Amino acid sequence: MKTGFVRCFVAFGAVLAIFVAAVAFSASALAAKYSSVVIDAQTGQVVSEYDADSPNFPASLTKMMTLYLTFEALEHHTVSLDTVFPVSAHAAAQEPTKLNLVAGQTIAVHDLILGLVTQSANDAAVVLSEGLGGTEAAFAEKMTNTARAMGMDNTTFHNASGLPNPFQKTTARDLSKLARRLYIDFPREYAYFGTEAFTYHGVTYGNHNHLMSSFAGMDGIKTGFIHASGFNLAASAVRNDRRLIGVVMGGVSAHARDMKMAALLNAAFDGRPSPDIMVASTEGKKAPQSRMTLHMIAKRAVGGLANLSPISKAEAATPAHLASPHWAIQVGAFRARAMAARAANTARAHVPAAHSKPVVVVMTRSHHGAVFNARITDLSANEAHAACDTLHHEHRACTVLGPSVQVAGQKAGGATPLSRS
């Protein structure tokens, strides 16, 4: 009798602990705090910070550690890029975003790496964790031990993907240390973070870091989002032989997070005070900058327009275009025209304000061959940004294109409209 009572009591205690953790986790979703840090990649010196030790959930920034251990295995020759790992039922059952892997199939390490870098695929992260660690739990323990060895004292991992877990915590400062170690320890593999698109089984996945195509000098590294964390981003950019690494956590939207990162890095490269210092000093009384002002901040580079790409230069040099009604959004880049058209139509169906807007497939050429860009056009600036905000909340790729970007892209990249519907 007593034994049965003890077992019931223990079981009740376990359930209660899980319930308390779940309640705390749900509450945190309403209180994800903004934090940031910018460091010098060579020295590790902090350039600017704001609440950098505030705990938060890493979300998909978790995958930076998953990739660190993968790169380590490659360097130690315990696996190769051609090594294939089996897909377990556990891996296949992960929530999106994912590569839609099927239990029982196999997939090469090379494809798994690109799946994490571009699509931030949760199923791919679990396949890597099981292939390298036996089980995801064992791999997560190694992730935590590696973090501690790096000086990431406030970080604990419980999974390889960053999907919601109430006990998986980190800080902006800790993640900046990890991002730096990825660059310092694996300079060759770090180049993976610059991958713009990855095609697997006929589907092309674009990189979720949209600043890669608009911010001068940026070449990585990772985005992240769950409701409890807000919108997170670790990014690295180099200008005039100086590399900076920034981490922003707790952004209210993907767009706001990206613009904040752009402002922080621009200020750091230019030797100006951090925008976060100004916000803190006014205790929130400072009038927020308009979306259009922030859009221009993201395009501004140190030293003027000379450091910008042709597309970014055209946009930064023509502020009058901000008032143009002919903006667009790009929702993916594909190897086939039909796939691009299908992606644009699918995205349009998810944005009520864009239901009547035309879909355009624009072809550009690179050393990899033709790329078909899926776009929705004839939007106002506000409509374009609102559309991307909506799609980002649904974890869909979206990049805002100003009128001059489209014109410059057609001139510089040889883009040609192929279809319209």
Side-chain angles (χ1 to χ4, degrees):
M1 183 72 174
K2 290 183 179 180
T3 301
F5 174 78
V6 170
R7 287 177 178 172
C8 289
F9 182 79
V10 170
F12 174 76
V15 171
L16 181 61
I18 294 173
F19 174 76
V20 170
V23 169
F25 186 63
S26 298
S28 68
L30 302 176
K33 293 183 178 180
Y34 168 79
S35 60
S36 72
V37 65
V38 176
I39 66 172
D40 185 288
Q42 292 298 335
T43 65
Q45 180 180 359
V46 173
V47 179
S48 70
E49 62 178 286
Y50 179 83
D51 212 7
D53 295 311
S54 176
N56 200 342
F57 302 100
S60 281
L61 298 192
T62 295
K63 296 183 178 78
M64 292 196 299
M65 182 59 83
T66 302
L67 287 166
Y68 184 93
L69 293 179
T70 301
F71 297 159
E72 187 176 67
L74 289 170
E75 288 291 312
H76 292 165
H77 303 292
T78 56
V79 298
S80 71
L81 292 174
D82 295 326
T83 300
V84 294
F85 288 147
V87 177
S88 68
H90 172 58
Q94 297 302 300
E95 294 294 320
T97 57
K98 57 198 296 185
L99 295 180
N100 295 313
L101 301 177
V102 178
Q105 76 170 96
T106 59
I107 179 171
V109 168
H110 179 258
D111 290 333
L112 291 168
I113 291 172
L114 291 176
L116 263 65
V117 168
T118 58
Q119 177 69 352
S120 195
N122 296 318
D123 50 1
V126 174
V127 172
L128 277 172
S129 72
E130 293 175 337
L132 295 172
T135 66
E136 186 178 16
F139 187 78
E141 184 176 352
K142 185 175 182 180
M143 293 168 69
T144 299
N145 291 338
T146 303
R148 293 288 191 274
M150 289 183 184
M152 299 171 62
D153 298 331
N154 296 307
T155 297
T156 303
F157 294 109
H158 285 270
N159 63 45
S161 65
L163 282 170
N165 183 298
F167 304 107
Q168 184 143 311
K169 300 297 283 291
T170 190
T171 66
R173 190 185 310 281
D174 277 6
L175 288 175
S176 72
K177 294 177 181 179
L178 174 56
R180 178 174 180 262
R181 287 292 297 271
L182 277 162
Y183 172 72
I184 296 294
D185 295 350
F186 305 109
R188 180 176 59 186
E189 289 82 0
Y190 176 83
Y192 277 113
F193 292 107
T195 304
E196 295 182 1
F198 161 60
T199 300
Y200 180 72
H201 283 190
V203 179
T204 299
Y205 303 96
N207 197 307
H208 289 185
N209 184 358
H210 302 301
L211 283 180
M212 294 271 288
S213 61
S214 62
F215 188 88
M218 185 168 292
D219 56 14
I221 62 177
K222 192 75 189 70
T223 63
F225 169 81
I226 58 174
H227 289 293
S229 71
F231 291 84
N232 301 337
L233 174 62
S236 181
V238 59
R239 294 180 188 165
N240 299 323
D241 296 324
R242 185 191 186 196
R243 178 176 292 276
L244 296 176
I245 292 171
V247 175
V248 167
M249 304 190 75
V252 297
S253 71
H255 177 80
R257 171 203 66 195
D258 292 351
M259 296 305 98
K260 174 59 74 173
M261 179 65 77
L264 288 172
L265 291 178
N266 274 326
F269 276 121
D270 204 20
R272 292 181 284 108
S274 165
D276 284 342
I277 294 176
M278 292 186 289
V279 171
S281 66
T282 56
E283 298 180 342
K285 296 178 182 179
K286 184 175 182 287
Q289 292 173 296
S290 70
R291 186 188 294 271
M292 292 301 96
T293 301
L294 291 175
H295 182 71
M296 295 309 297
I297 288 175
K299 300 298 184 287
R300 187 175 62 221
V302 175
L305 301 179
N307 290 329
L308 292 177
S309 67
I311 292 177
S312 297
K313 185 185 296 184
E315 183 169 16
T318 53
H321 287 162
L322 294 175
S324 170
H326 302 300
W327 286 60
I329 60 173
Q330 181 162 307
V331 296
F334 303 87
R335 295 299 180 192
R337 180 192 312 184
M339 292 171 59
R342 184 163 57 250
N345 280 307
T346 299
R348 184 171 60 176
H350 285 77
V351 181
H355 283 176
S356 62
K357 304 299 183 179
V359 164
V360 175
V361 175
V362 177
M363 184 184 74
T364 57
R365 294 191 179 277
S366 69
H367 61 281
H368 295 298
V371 176
F372 298 89
N373 304 288
R375 297 177 180 177
I376 302 171
T377 64
D378 289 359
L379 300 165
S380 68
N382 287 337
E383 287 174 335
H385 286 287
C388 273
D389 283 346
T390 297
L391 293 172
H392 288 157
H393 276 293
E394 297 182 2
H395 309 296
R396 295 177 180 272
C398 184
T399 303
V400 173
L401 303 178
S404 54
V405 172
Q406 299 172 71
V407 172
Q410 291 172 11
K411 291 180 179 179
T416 305
L418 297 179
S419 67
R420 193 177 180 95
S421 61

